[in-house]
């Protein structure tokens, strides 16, 4: 899938595929250094983080393990409420583990705030967060994020795992959506 497949639904490309892969390589080098003497467990949050995880884990030199969670936020519409339900839990026992949560985006921060508390309560040795995107202007709660790819404006973004009504996750870049798509 590329920009031509979106037609007029794409407002603009915010981060190109090259921007993303360059930044992920930098973040992977930092994680390689920080976890050099640790056995890191990457926890991807479905579905959005699937593309970040796939590229990030291939940029790492560490033999990281991977596991996945799917969570759903109770509440109306597309906004997080902070009350989270686990749809798919981890297969891995976190006791003594060094966990690095891999997220595509932090919007209000409510999902991640809940998730970090939940994972920390399972006896992990450490729980840190890597997020490709962060919207500082949309934050409702503070979340400590050790690795942030890009800070972006509070606009509707799609691509590279991010969806609008489950569409556009397969775009290799992050783009902003034309208002006529979500206002119609
Ligand atoms: C997105 C994203 C984060 C969350 C961020 O997931 O992947 O998990 O929203 O929002 P917040 O900071 O306001 O809590 P979403 O619930 O859209 O599910 P998806 O990953 O399946 O698209």
């Amino acid at each position: 899938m590329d920009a031509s497949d979106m037609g007029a639904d794409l407002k603009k490309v915010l981060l190109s595929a090259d921007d993303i892969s360059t930044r992920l390589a930098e973040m992977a080098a930092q994680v390689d250094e920080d976890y050099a003497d640790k056995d890191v467990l990457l926890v991807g949050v479905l579905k959005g983080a699937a593309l970040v995880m796939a590229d990030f884990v291939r940029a790492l030199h560490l033999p990281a393990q991977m596991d996945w969670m799917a969570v759903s936020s109770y509440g109306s519409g597309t906004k997080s409420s902070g009350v989270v339900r686990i749809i798919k839990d981890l297969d891995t026992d976190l006791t003594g583990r060094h966990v690095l949560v891999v997220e595509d985006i932090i919007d209000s921060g409510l999902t991640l705030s809940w998730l970090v508390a939940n994972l920390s309560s399972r006896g992990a040795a450490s729980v840190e967060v890597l997020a490709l995107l962060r919207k500082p202007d949309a934050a409702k709660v503070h979340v400590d994020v050790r690795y942030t790819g890009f800070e972006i404006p509070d606009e509707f973004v799609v691509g590279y795992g991010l969806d609008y009504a489950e569409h556009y996750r397969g775009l290799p870049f992050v783009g902003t959506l034309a208002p006529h798509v979500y206002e119609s």
Side-chain angles (χ1 to χ4, degrees), residues 35-46:
Y35 288 84
D37 57 351
K38 297 185 180 82
D39 187 16
V40 63
L41 174 69
L42 305 176
V43 169
V45 186
L46 295 168

Side-chain angles (χ1 to χ4, degrees), residues 69-139:
M69 274 184 91
V71 297
S72 167
S73 193
Y74 286 107
S76 59
T78 56
K79 295 286 176 197
S80 291
S81 64
V83 184
V84 175
R85 180 166 57 110
I86 296 175
I87 307 290
K88 182 228 171 285
D89 207 345
L90 300 172
D91 299 325
T92 314
D93 177 359
L94 296 190
T95 309
R97 298 304 306 269
H98 291 283
V99 174
L100 180 57
V101 178
V102 176
E103 262 286 24
D104 51 341
I105 190 165
I106 304 171
D107 205 313
S108 67
L110 291 166
T111 304
L112 208 48
S113 169
W114 180 90
L115 196 59
V116 167
N118 179 281
L119 298 180
S120 300
S121 74
R122 304 187 195 192
S126 66
V127 179
E128 301 286 354
V129 175
L130 179 149
L132 180 68
L133 307 173
R134 188 171 198 175
K135 289 180 176 174
D137 296 340

Side-chain angles (χ1 to χ4, degrees), residues 123-176:
S126 66
V127 179
E128 301 286 354
V129 175
L130 179 149
L132 180 68
L133 307 173
R134 188 171 198 175
K135 289 180 176 174
D137 296 340
K140 287 194 181 141
V141 288
H142 174 77
V143 185
D144 281 324
V145 182
R146 186 151 179 197
Y147 310 96
T148 303
F150 302 92
E151 293 198 337
I152 60 168
D154 188 10
E155 289 184 65
F156 208 123
V157 286
V158 293
Y160 205 74
L162 295 152
D163 72 306
Y164 171 68
E166 296 296 327
H167 294 111
Y168 302 126
R169 291 191 198 272
L171 289 168
F173 57 84
V174 173
T176 47

